[in-house]
Amino acid sequence: MSDNQDETQTMDLNITFLRSRRGIVKVAEMVTLFVAFVCFAVTSVPEYIVVTVFEFLITLFLLLLHLLKFNKKLTLFFWPLVDFFNSTFAAVYLIVVSLIVLTTHTVAGVLIGGVLCLISATLHGVESYTLFKNLTFNKRRNEGQNQANR
């Protein structure tokens, strides 16, 4: 056996992303979506369960993408733009869902889930805004910063 076969492959984790503002917002989004999912599951409202699970999985995928540094390896997509579109559409979609929930249901569990969806929509909106501010689109960082300072 050669030495190359004995070596184990290790994966580097981007722990600094979890400590960054975007990482904290992503984890907060996932927590609010999971608790909203639990509230909807307990009260047996399947249409809202699907919404929260689907958005939870997308957010989990994007979080793992950054944690495992796959966004640097998979260069087919411009990941900040994908993340921006996901955050924008999720914010709008969750606002609509939470408003429907809050206006049509009276069960306490469903209402709590609707409020948590509204909080998650706010977090997605904050993430969308910060991503939009950071997107450069082929400008050097100095140009974007100089134009922002004017």
Side-chain angles (χ1 to χ4, degrees):
M1 290 204 161
S2 68
D3 292 332
N4 290 340
Q5 292 176 351
D6 292 336
E7 293 178 10
T8 58
Q9 293 283 336
T10 60
M11 227 175 210
D12 293 331
L13 290 177
N14 189 4
I15 300 298
T16 57
F17 179 75
L18 280 179
R19 295 180 183 149
S20 69
R21 183 177 295 160
R22 280 189 55 215
I24 292 169
V25 169
K26 277 223 180 285
V27 170
E29 290 169 359
M30 290 180 55
V31 167
T32 56
L33 286 168
F34 181 75
V35 175
F37 157 72
V38 169
C39 290
F40 292 143
V42 166
T43 56
S44 300
V45 187
E47 56 270 10
Y48 305 127
I49 292 172
V50 173
V51 169
T52 54
V53 168
F54 187 65
E55 192 52 47
F56 177 83
L57 291 176
I58 291 173
T59 306
L60 177 66
F61 168 74
L62 290 171
L63 179 69
L64 288 175
L65 184 83
H66 289 290
L67 276 180
L68 300 175
K69 297 182 182 178
F70 284 150
N71 59 336
K72 306 231 187 281
K73 295 175 185 172
L74 300 171
T75 58
L76 181 64
F77 298 111
F78 184 53
W79 290 108
L81 191 61
V82 170
D83 211 358
F84 168 74
F85 281 133
N86 172 57
S87 296
T88 304
F89 292 135
V92 172
Y93 190 60
L94 288 172
I95 285 172
V96 170
V97 167
S98 64
L99 290 176
I100 290 171
V101 167
L102 293 173
T103 57
T104 60
H105 292 281
T106 58
V107 178
V110 180
L111 292 175
I112 292 170
V115 169
L116 287 168
C117 278
L118 196 58
I119 292 170
S120 183
T122 304
L123 290 170
H124 276 92
V126 166
E127 184 181 18
S128 174
Y129 176 73
T130 57
L131 281 168
F132 181 74
K133 281 180 42 177
N134 293 335
L135 289 177
T136 56
F137 295 113
N138 294 329
K139 292 181 187 175
R140 291 190 308 246
R141 288 190 179 261
N142 296 349
E143 289 179 19
Q145 290 174 353
N146 289 340
Q147 289 177 359
N149 292 335
R150 291 183 187 170

